[in-house]
Amino acid sequence: MFSRIFPVLPLTLFFAAGCTQTGTHSFVPDSSSGLEKRPEGRENVAKDLVKVKVNRKFGYIDTQGELVVPPRFEEVGDFATNGLAAVQENGENGKFGYINTQGEMVISPRFEFAKDFSTNGLARVKESGKFCYINTQGEVVIPPNFDWAWDFSANGLAVVEENGKFGYINAQGEMVISPRFESVDAFSANGLAAVKENGKLRYINAQGEVVIPQSFDWAGNFSANGLAVVKENGKFGYINAQGEMVISPRFESADAFSANGLAAVKENRKWGYINAQGKMVISPKFESADTFSANGLAWVGKNGKYAYINTQGEMLTPPKFEYKGLFSANGFAQIRRNDGGYDYIDNKGKIIASTEILETCGYLEVLKNARGEITWPLPERYRALCKIFEEGDGAGTHSFIPASSSEPGKISNIPKGINLSPINLNGKWGYINGKGEMAITPKFANAKDFSASGLARVQEKSYGKWGYINIKGDVVISPTFEKAEDFRANGLARVVGEHGYGYINTQGKAVVPLQFQNIGKFSDNGLAWVMEGGKYGFINTQGEMTIPPRFEGAGNFAGNGLAPVQEESEFGHRYGYINVRGEMVIPARFENAWDFSANGAARVETFGERFYINAKDEIVIRSKFGSGGDFAANGLARANDKLKSGFINAQGEAVVPIQFESIRPFAANGLAAFYENEKWGYLNTQGKIVIPPRFMYAGDFNANGLALIEENEKKGFINARGEMVIQPRFNWALDFAANDLAQVELENGKVGYINARGETVVSIDQLKSCNYLGVLMNPQGKIIWPPAEELQALCSKKSKNN
């Protein structure tokens, strides 16, 4: 909630080359992108567009919720008054360029980093490891090689860094205030800026002269009303441009004044709002509070939820939002729902667009307008993606799907000695064993795989509550949960009850009360993050709060005893790392931070740079390739360069060349599927191709040593030597399940189950003589389920119903 005082960050360790001035400013219309043009007569007004994110890609909608620029970018900025916005193309480590409001690329994507244009028509970009400034034609107009740079302020000066010190330049690139400060802030509208020199935090004018000599513990920007937040003796107050304390430092925390003359302050652990005289005009009753936006609204937290209020403190909606979103300049906000989707709302709370995860289409995320119509992906693409899912390419209820928390490619949560897998017959779910025998009669509305605990999640009624059964099919934990997950190795399962998230044991007892807004997995040290009252803390396996909820975000503890957390620091909302006592041991200065990997390296990001640090806060890998992932147990991490992918080791060396169009994580057998020249093959951890690319599709290797492939539009299975163990003869197939059977479409069009030798063990048939009742048949065509008496009863019942 505070303005940023720019610290000395490790950005000076990156490569020292300069921005180029020749051959870099050509306009590149994106005529081949297939972008939809805006309707005739629509003005290209920047403020008319709202950022949206679908399937990890960004685009723009208009204020009516209609799609204008399809989501195809990795990152996007806001449109400046000149109608241009910075965008990142071609993967996580692609280049940045600028588009207009039709989505056309008008400044080619060639920069390592780019920000929006300032009001003076200049934008800061990074090229060859150094910062410089360009104009709206893409021409480099300030060529000096800065280690770091910021946007221009209203007084025409911008912060730059040279040799670890900060100073200010003008629009001609001239250094008007020498780089001598340890940290600085941008100039406020009144021409003053907070700087730190020789350990003292003071204010200077545009000539670099100290005009407010007293030193503060913390200092922020001056607001339009001429007041700035400062911190003295652990409390926050406000000074004027003469340095006089006009609102005494009595608040536990405080924010800058908004344009409407109100500022959020914290008193007695609650947030409220004061006016410029320090009078409390909106009483402190909120758990959290944000600055008022230009539309006159502010987000506040109440009872663990979020709502927005007007300047009279009236809630325009009840506190119902799980997550708050920042209002953009045009008055619209992105709100994350509890189900992981997003709503885009106007300042009256009306939803103009939303995203939804479609479980029926392989968990595809789609964008919908206010009428509920899917506007992205386009119909042809949407149908194609759903068709792939329906045919079983890497999806399906019986496939082995490595858990996100496990090693890439490692089969996780597969029970030993339990060879049961779900099967759907006549709209009900049951379980078959490895012999194709019906082990648990189909009677559930939904059923999942068994975990190592010997329990499986089931729903007895459609859209009903979840419970757990044992391998005999007995309900051992009653269906009382809104959501439920598999039991983990520690014998606990995450569930959602009427009042929130928690954990139960295998007896169904709540060992962690079902009362939290959200809860994470338990780390090896027995701690898990929880969300309570809109803040994050940590609990142990007994449900005891060991680190109180005070963070804006949190990750998992690693083996080195550190976990990433987000807090409100002098640098803004930033990530750092805490130890098990909750002490911040790596300062919160990163824009993004991930868990430490097993090799002791953690991925972090700040000011557009991505790199790895160790537990001592030392950079161990610089962004030579730009990391795409965390290190796995095999010591490798995905890396990307433009449109190519590979893997790096702990020294940052590309041990698997960064040359493949696509590559998946390594399976337990040390092989990874890669895509090149429109074909799939496999390589090992040394980057050696062991199975040449010849398949239309290639899956991961399973525990039985087989991988699903597609050749000549048919599915089959190969071994680790690339030998065809089961010939590609199936129209569709799923991976082998826990019972070592794979579900396929047989040559006769029926759904069947095959073993690892490719032999049909059992198939599903519909009896015309029994109103198409689904039955299990052996390879000889004999009905093996239901038993004869039950079959007769079912047929009789169907006849009566029809």
Side-chain angles (χ1 to χ4, degrees), residues 616-653:
K616 297 179 181 178
D617 197 14
E618 301 167 334
I619 294 177
V620 291
I621 300 177
R622 300 168 185 169
S623 58
K624 181 179 179 181
F625 302 109
S627 168
D630 299 324
F631 281 93
N634 63 6
L636 302 182
R638 183 193 301 275
N640 303 298
D641 185 16
K642 298 180 181 177
L643 292 176
K644 302 297 183 180
S645 298
F647 284 87
I648 60 174
N649 62 17
Q651 289 73 48
E653 302 163 339

mmCIF file of all heavy atoms in Angstrom, residues 616-653:
data_model
loop_
_atom_site.group_PDB
_atom_site.id
_atom_site.type_symbol
_atom_site.label_atom_id
_atom_site.label_comp_id
_atom_site.label_asym_id
_atom_site.label_seq_id
_atom_site.Cartn_x
_atom_site.Cartn_y
_atom_site.Cartn_z
ATOM 1 N N LYS A 616 21.284 -18.170 1.088
ATOM 2 C CA LYS A 616 22.036 -17.024 1.582
ATOM 3 C C LYS A 616 21.685 -15.746 0.821
ATOM 4 O O LYS A 616 22.335 -14.718 1.003
ATOM 5 C CB LYS A 616 23.540 -17.295 1.477
ATOM 6 C CG LYS A 616 24.020 -18.462 2.323
ATOM 7 C CD LYS A 616 25.513 -18.680 2.138
ATOM 8 C CE LYS A 616 26.013 -19.866 2.960
ATOM 9 N NZ LYS A 616 27.460 -20.113 2.758
ATOM 10 N N ASP A 617 20.685 -15.826 -0.047
ATOM 11 C CA ASP A 617 20.254 -14.688 -0.855
ATOM 12 C C ASP A 617 21.302 -14.310 -1.896
ATOM 13 O O ASP A 617 21.398 -13.164 -2.312
ATOM 14 C CB ASP A 617 19.924 -13.479 0.024
ATOM 15 C CG ASP A 617 19.099 -12.423 -0.717
ATOM 16 O OD1 ASP A 617 18.562 -12.744 -1.792
ATOM 17 O OD2 ASP A 617 19.009 -11.287 -0.227
ATOM 18 N N GLU A 618 22.083 -15.290 -2.329
ATOM 19 C CA GLU A 618 23.077 -15.060 -3.375
ATOM 20 C C GLU A 618 22.527 -15.561 -4.704
ATOM 21 O O GLU A 618 21.878 -16.614 -4.763
ATOM 22 C CB GLU A 618 24.377 -15.803 -3.051
ATOM 23 C CG GLU A 618 25.013 -15.396 -1.735
ATOM 24 C CD GLU A 618 26.106 -16.355 -1.297
ATOM 25 O OE1 GLU A 618 26.066 -17.546 -1.696
ATOM 26 O OE2 GLU A 618 26.992 -15.928 -0.537
ATOM 27 N N ILE A 619 22.795 -14.819 -5.782
ATOM 28 C CA ILE A 619 22.375 -15.260 -7.107
ATOM 29 C C ILE A 619 23.281 -16.403 -7.543
ATOM 30 O O ILE A 619 24.512 -16.261 -7.587
ATOM 31 C CB ILE A 619 22.448 -14.120 -8.125
ATOM 32 C CG1 ILE A 619 21.420 -13.044 -7.781
ATOM 33 C CG2 ILE A 619 22.199 -14.633 -9.538
ATOM 34 C CD1 ILE A 619 21.455 -11.849 -8.692
ATOM 35 N N VAL A 620 22.685 -17.549 -7.837
ATOM 36 C CA VAL A 620 23.473 -18.714 -8.256
ATOM 37 C C VAL A 620 23.334 -18.983 -9.749
ATOM 38 O O VAL A 620 24.202 -19.626 -10.342
ATOM 39 C CB VAL A 620 23.094 -19.970 -7.447
ATOM 40 C CG1 VAL A 620 23.539 -19.822 -6.003
ATOM 41 C CG2 VAL A 620 21.599 -20.241 -7.503
ATOM 42 N N ILE A 621 22.226 -18.525 -10.339
ATOM 43 C CA ILE A 621 22.051 -18.632 -11.791
ATOM 44 C C ILE A 621 21.425 -17.343 -12.282
ATOM 45 O O ILE A 621 20.367 -16.946 -11.810
ATOM 46 C CB ILE A 621 21.152 -19.823 -12.192
ATOM 47 C CG1 ILE A 621 21.758 -21.138 -11.714
ATOM 48 C CG2 ILE A 621 20.969 -19.876 -13.707
ATOM 49 C CD1 ILE A 621 20.887 -22.343 -12.027
ATOM 50 N N ARG A 622 22.079 -16.701 -13.214
ATOM 51 C CA ARG A 622 21.538 -15.487 -13.802
ATOM 52 C C ARG A 622 20.689 -15.853 -15.016
ATOM 53 O O ARG A 622 20.816 -16.933 -15.566
ATOM 54 C CB ARG A 622 22.679 -14.556 -14.201
ATOM 55 C CG ARG A 622 23.525 -14.155 -13.002
ATOM 56 C CD ARG A 622 24.820 -13.483 -13.414
ATOM 57 N NE ARG A 622 25.655 -13.226 -12.253
ATOM 58 C CZ ARG A 622 26.922 -12.851 -12.311
ATOM 59 N NH1 ARG A 622 27.503 -12.702 -13.482
ATOM 60 N NH2 ARG A 622 27.613 -12.636 -11.209
ATOM 61 N N SER A 623 19.845 -14.912 -15.438
ATOM 62 C CA SER A 623 18.840 -15.229 -16.457
ATOM 63 C C SER A 623 19.435 -15.269 -17.867
ATOM 64 O O SER A 623 19.052 -14.510 -18.738
ATOM 65 C CB SER A 623 17.706 -14.207 -16.404
ATOM 66 O OG SER A 623 18.223 -12.907 -16.590
ATOM 67 N N LYS A 624 20.378 -16.182 -18.061
ATOM 68 C CA LYS A 624 20.960 -16.353 -19.385
ATOM 69 C C LYS A 624 19.924 -16.870 -20.369
ATOM 70 O O LYS A 624 19.814 -16.411 -21.496
ATOM 71 C CB LYS A 624 22.135 -17.326 -19.308
ATOM 72 C CG LYS A 624 22.843 -17.576 -20.638
ATOM 73 C CD LYS A 624 24.003 -18.535 -20.437
ATOM 74 C CE LYS A 624 24.707 -18.808 -21.762
ATOM 75 N NZ LYS A 624 25.820 -19.763 -21.595
ATOM 76 N N PHE A 625 19.157 -17.859 -19.920
ATOM 77 C CA PHE A 625 18.097 -18.400 -20.761
ATOM 78 C C PHE A 625 16.732 -17.896 -20.313
ATOM 79 O O PHE A 625 15.804 -17.881 -21.084
ATOM 80 C CB PHE A 625 18.104 -19.933 -20.717
ATOM 81 C CG PHE A 625 19.416 -20.527 -21.150
ATOM 82 C CD1 PHE A 625 20.253 -21.126 -20.236
ATOM 83 C CD2 PHE A 625 19.806 -20.464 -22.474
ATOM 84 C CE1 PHE A 625 21.455 -21.668 -20.635
ATOM 85 C CE2 PHE A 625 21.011 -20.999 -22.881
ATOM 86 C CZ PHE A 625 21.849 -21.607 -21.962
ATOM 87 N N GLY A 626 16.623 -17.514 -19.046
ATOM 88 C CA GLY A 626 15.327 -17.163 -18.501
ATOM 89 C C GLY A 626 14.621 -18.433 -18.098
ATOM 90 O O GLY A 626 14.105 -19.157 -18.932
ATOM 91 N N SER A 627 14.650 -18.763 -16.817
ATOM 92 C CA SER A 627 14.149 -20.051 -16.364
ATOM 93 C C SER A 627 12.664 -20.200 -16.610
ATOM 94 O O SER A 627 11.905 -19.248 -16.526
ATOM 95 C CB SER A 627 14.427 -20.227 -14.879
ATOM 96 O OG SER A 627 13.713 -21.319 -14.380
ATOM 97 N N GLY A 628 12.274 -21.412 -16.918
ATOM 98 C CA GLY A 628 10.875 -21.691 -17.088
ATOM 99 C C GLY A 628 10.301 -22.541 -15.983
ATOM 100 O O GLY A 628 9.114 -22.806 -15.966
ATOM 101 N N GLY A 629 11.121 -23.029 -15.059
ATOM 102 C CA GLY A 629 10.585 -23.918 -14.037
ATOM 103 C C GLY A 629 11.543 -24.146 -12.890
ATOM 104 O O GLY A 629 12.689 -23.706 -12.908
ATOM 105 N N ASP A 630 11.045 -24.859 -11.879
ATOM 106 C CA ASP A 630 11.856 -25.197 -10.723
ATOM 107 C C ASP A 630 12.725 -26.419 -11.018
ATOM 108 O O ASP A 630 12.461 -27.173 -11.952
ATOM 109 C CB ASP A 630 10.965 -25.499 -9.514
ATOM 110 C CG ASP A 630 10.121 -24.292 -9.127
ATOM 111 O OD1 ASP A 630 10.630 -23.167 -9.243
ATOM 112 O OD2 ASP A 630 8.968 -24.493 -8.713
ATOM 113 N N PHE A 631 13.728 -26.633 -10.179
ATOM 114 C CA PHE A 631 14.579 -27.800 -10.332
ATOM 115 C C PHE A 631 13.881 -29.046 -9.812
ATOM 116 O O PHE A 631 13.291 -29.039 -8.730
ATOM 117 C CB PHE A 631 15.906 -27.594 -9.596
ATOM 118 C CG PHE A 631 16.871 -26.725 -10.355
ATOM 119 C CD1 PHE A 631 16.917 -25.360 -10.129
ATOM 120 C CD2 PHE A 631 17.703 -27.264 -11.320
ATOM 121 C CE1 PHE A 631 17.786 -24.547 -10.831
ATOM 122 C CE2 PHE A 631 18.575 -26.458 -12.039
ATOM 123 C CZ PHE A 631 18.620 -25.095 -11.791
ATOM 124 N N ALA A 632 13.938 -30.113 -10.581
ATOM 125 C CA ALA A 632 13.342 -31.385 -10.181
ATOM 126 C C ALA A 632 14.375 -32.214 -9.422
ATOM 127 O O ALA A 632 15.531 -31.804 -9.254
ATOM 128 C CB ALA A 632 12.858 -32.142 -11.418
ATOM 129 N N ALA A 633 13.952 -33.393 -8.976
ATOM 130 C CA ALA A 633 14.853 -34.260 -8.210
ATOM 131 C C ALA A 633 16.064 -34.701 -9.031
ATOM 132 O O ALA A 633 17.109 -35.039 -8.470
ATOM 133 C CB ALA A 633 14.093 -35.481 -7.706
ATOM 134 N N ASN A 634 15.929 -34.686 -10.371
ATOM 135 C CA ASN A 634 17.069 -35.064 -11.210
ATOM 136 C C ASN A 634 18.065 -33.928 -11.406
ATOM 137 O O ASN A 634 19.025 -34.054 -12.167
ATOM 138 C CB ASN A 634 16.582 -35.596 -12.565
ATOM 139 C CG ASN A 634 15.824 -34.537 -13.374
ATOM 140 O OD1 ASN A 634 15.750 -33.372 -12.988
ATOM 141 N ND2 ASN A 634 15.262 -34.947 -14.498
ATOM 142 N N GLY A 635 17.820 -32.798 -10.736
ATOM 143 C CA GLY A 635 18.758 -31.676 -10.792
ATOM 144 C C GLY A 635 18.613 -30.791 -11.998
ATOM 145 O O GLY A 635 19.467 -29.940 -12.246
ATOM 146 N N LEU A 636 17.534 -30.943 -12.764
ATOM 147 C CA LEU A 636 17.342 -30.159 -13.977
ATOM 148 C C LEU A 636 16.100 -29.273 -13.863
ATOM 149 O O LEU A 636 15.147 -29.622 -13.170
ATOM 150 C CB LEU A 636 17.203 -31.077 -15.196
ATOM 151 C CG LEU A 636 18.362 -32.043 -15.474
ATOM 152 C CD1 LEU A 636 18.087 -32.843 -16.734
ATOM 153 C CD2 LEU A 636 19.685 -31.299 -15.587
ATOM 154 N N ALA A 637 16.146 -28.147 -14.545
ATOM 155 C CA ALA A 637 15.004 -27.221 -14.596
ATOM 156 C C ALA A 637 14.753 -26.826 -16.040
ATOM 157 O O ALA A 637 15.696 -26.670 -16.828
ATOM 158 C CB ALA A 637 15.282 -25.971 -13.762
ATOM 159 N N ARG A 638 13.489 -26.666 -16.374
ATOM 160 C CA ARG A 638 13.141 -26.241 -17.736
ATOM 161 C C ARG A 638 13.650 -24.822 -17.985
ATOM 162 O O ARG A 638 13.613 -23.967 -17.101
ATOM 163 C CB ARG A 638 11.638 -26.286 -17.930
ATOM 164 C CG ARG A 638 11.189 -25.921 -19.344
ATOM 165 C CD ARG A 638 9.695 -25.677 -19.393
ATOM 166 N NE ARG A 638 8.954 -26.846 -18.963
ATOM 167 C CZ ARG A 638 8.620 -27.858 -19.762
ATOM 168 N NH1 ARG A 638 8.976 -27.831 -21.022
ATOM 169 N NH2 ARG A 638 7.931 -28.882 -19.302
ATOM 170 N N ALA A 639 14.127 -24.581 -19.198
ATOM 171 C CA ALA A 639 14.560 -23.238 -19.603
ATOM 172 C C ALA A 639 14.021 -22.967 -20.992
ATOM 173 O O ALA A 639 13.845 -23.901 -21.787
ATOM 174 C CB ALA A 639 16.087 -23.137 -19.581
ATOM 175 N N ASN A 640 13.781 -21.697 -21.281
ATOM 176 C CA ASN A 640 13.216 -21.308 -22.575
ATOM 177 C C ASN A 640 14.025 -20.173 -23.169
ATOM 178 O O ASN A 640 14.576 -19.342 -22.447
ATOM 179 C CB ASN A 640 11.767 -20.851 -22.426
ATOM 180 C CG ASN A 640 10.894 -21.910 -21.785
ATOM 181 O OD1 ASN A 640 10.719 -22.992 -22.315
ATOM 182 N ND2 ASN A 640 10.370 -21.606 -20.609
ATOM 183 N N ASP A 641 14.071 -20.145 -24.485
ATOM 184 C CA ASP A 641 14.688 -19.042 -25.207
ATOM 185 C C ASP A 641 13.848 -18.806 -26.449
ATOM 186 O O ASP A 641 13.847 -19.629 -27.363
ATOM 187 C CB ASP A 641 16.127 -19.372 -25.589
ATOM 188 C CG ASP A 641 16.836 -18.190 -26.235
ATOM 189 O OD1 ASP A 641 16.320 -17.059 -26.103
ATOM 190 O OD2 ASP A 641 17.881 -18.388 -26.868
ATOM 191 N N LYS A 642 13.079 -17.719 -26.418
ATOM 192 C CA LYS A 642 12.128 -17.430 -27.481
ATOM 193 C C LYS A 642 11.138 -18.581 -27.577
ATOM 194 O O LYS A 642 10.405 -18.873 -26.660
ATOM 195 C CB LYS A 642 12.857 -17.164 -28.793
ATOM 196 C CG LYS A 642 13.775 -15.937 -28.735
ATOM 197 C CD LYS A 642 14.492 -15.701 -30.043
ATOM 198 C CE LYS A 642 15.415 -14.506 -29.959
ATOM 199 N NZ LYS A 642 16.178 -14.273 -31.191
ATOM 200 N N LEU A 643 11.115 -19.295 -28.703
ATOM 201 C CA LEU A 643 10.149 -20.368 -28.894
ATOM 202 C C LEU A 643 10.738 -21.741 -28.622
ATOM 203 O O LEU A 643 10.086 -22.751 -28.875
ATOM 204 C CB LEU A 643 9.598 -20.322 -30.327
ATOM 205 C CG LEU A 643 8.707 -19.123 -30.668
ATOM 206 C CD1 LEU A 643 8.323 -19.155 -32.137
ATOM 207 C CD2 LEU A 643 7.476 -19.102 -29.804
ATOM 208 N N LYS A 644 11.944 -21.809 -28.114
ATOM 209 C CA LYS A 644 12.617 -23.084 -27.921
ATOM 210 C C LYS A 644 12.731 -23.415 -26.432
ATOM 211 O O LYS A 644 12.775 -22.530 -25.581
ATOM 212 C CB LYS A 644 14.018 -23.053 -28.550
ATOM 213 C CG LYS A 644 14.012 -22.745 -30.044
ATOM 214 C CD LYS A 644 13.273 -23.810 -30.855
ATOM 215 C CE LYS A 644 13.340 -23.525 -32.345
ATOM 216 N NZ LYS A 644 12.633 -24.550 -33.149
ATOM 217 N N SER A 645 12.785 -24.723 -26.137
ATOM 218 C CA SER A 645 12.849 -25.179 -24.751
ATOM 219 C C SER A 645 13.929 -26.236 -24.576
ATOM 220 O O SER A 645 14.286 -26.941 -25.521
ATOM 221 C CB SER A 645 11.500 -25.771 -24.316
ATOM 222 O OG SER A 645 10.492 -24.802 -24.368
ATOM 223 N N GLY A 646 14.415 -26.344 -23.347
ATOM 224 C CA GLY A 646 15.381 -27.366 -22.970
ATOM 225 C C GLY A 646 15.462 -27.439 -21.463
ATOM 226 O O GLY A 646 14.543 -27.022 -20.758
ATOM 227 N N PHE A 647 16.588 -27.932 -20.948
ATOM 228 C CA PHE A 647 16.770 -28.035 -19.501
ATOM 229 C C PHE A 647 18.171 -27.571 -19.121
ATOM 230 O O PHE A 647 19.143 -27.801 -19.853
ATOM 231 C CB PHE A 647 16.570 -29.478 -19.022
ATOM 232 C CG PHE A 647 15.125 -29.897 -18.963
ATOM 233 C CD1 PHE A 647 14.506 -30.417 -20.085
ATOM 234 C CD2 PHE A 647 14.395 -29.756 -17.798
ATOM 235 C CE1 PHE A 647 13.176 -30.799 -20.040
ATOM 236 C CE2 PHE A 647 13.062 -30.136 -17.744
ATOM 237 C CZ PHE A 647 12.450 -30.661 -18.864
ATOM 238 N N ILE A 648 18.266 -26.905 -17.958
ATOM 239 C CA ILE A 648 19.549 -26.474 -17.428
ATOM 240 C C ILE A 648 19.849 -27.228 -16.142
ATOM 241 O O ILE A 648 18.945 -27.744 -15.486
ATOM 242 C CB ILE A 648 19.574 -24.949 -17.158
ATOM 243 C CG1 ILE A 648 18.491 -24.562 -16.126
ATOM 244 C CG2 ILE A 648 19.409 -24.161 -18.441
ATOM 245 C CD1 ILE A 648 18.536 -23.112 -15.689
ATOM 246 N N ASN A 649 21.147 -27.278 -15.781
ATOM 247 C CA ASN A 649 21.546 -27.887 -14.511
ATOM 248 C C ASN A 649 21.726 -26.805 -13.453
ATOM 249 O O ASN A 649 21.448 -25.632 -13.694
ATOM 250 C CB ASN A 649 22.807 -28.737 -14.685
ATOM 251 C CG ASN A 649 24.002 -27.910 -15.151
ATOM 252 O OD1 ASN A 649 24.011 -26.681 -15.053
ATOM 253 N ND2 ASN A 649 25.022 -28.572 -15.658
ATOM 254 N N ALA A 650 22.205 -27.211 -12.291
ATOM 255 C CA ALA A 650 22.322 -26.282 -11.164
ATOM 256 C C ALA A 650 23.364 -25.204 -11.395
ATOM 257 O O ALA A 650 23.429 -24.229 -10.635
ATOM 258 C CB ALA A 650 22.649 -27.058 -9.890
ATOM 259 N N GLN A 651 24.203 -25.364 -12.415
ATOM 260 C CA GLN A 651 25.179 -24.334 -12.752
ATOM 261 C C GLN A 651 24.665 -23.400 -13.841
ATOM 262 O O GLN A 651 25.361 -22.489 -14.266
ATOM 263 C CB GLN A 651 26.501 -24.969 -13.218
ATOM 264 C CG GLN A 651 27.302 -25.645 -12.105
ATOM 265 C CD GLN A 651 26.680 -26.947 -11.663
ATOM 266 O OE1 GLN A 651 26.317 -27.790 -12.487
ATOM 267 N NE2 GLN A 651 26.550 -27.134 -10.357
ATOM 268 N N GLY A 652 23.439 -23.641 -14.284
ATOM 269 C CA GLY A 652 22.849 -22.808 -15.327
ATOM 270 C C GLY A 652 23.253 -23.214 -16.722
ATOM 271 O O GLY A 652 22.940 -22.527 -17.697
ATOM 272 N N GLU A 653 23.922 -24.378 -16.855
ATOM 273 C CA GLU A 653 24.363 -24.857 -18.159
ATOM 274 C C GLU A 653 23.233 -25.627 -18.838
ATOM 275 O O GLU A 653 22.515 -26.397 -18.192
ATOM 276 C CB GLU A 653 25.577 -25.771 -18.000
ATOM 277 C CG GLU A 653 26.748 -25.105 -17.297
ATOM 278 C CD GLU A 653 27.772 -26.105 -16.786
ATOM 279 O OE1 GLU A 653 27.410 -27.300 -16.602
ATOM 280 O OE2 GLU A 653 28.922 -25.697 -16.562
#
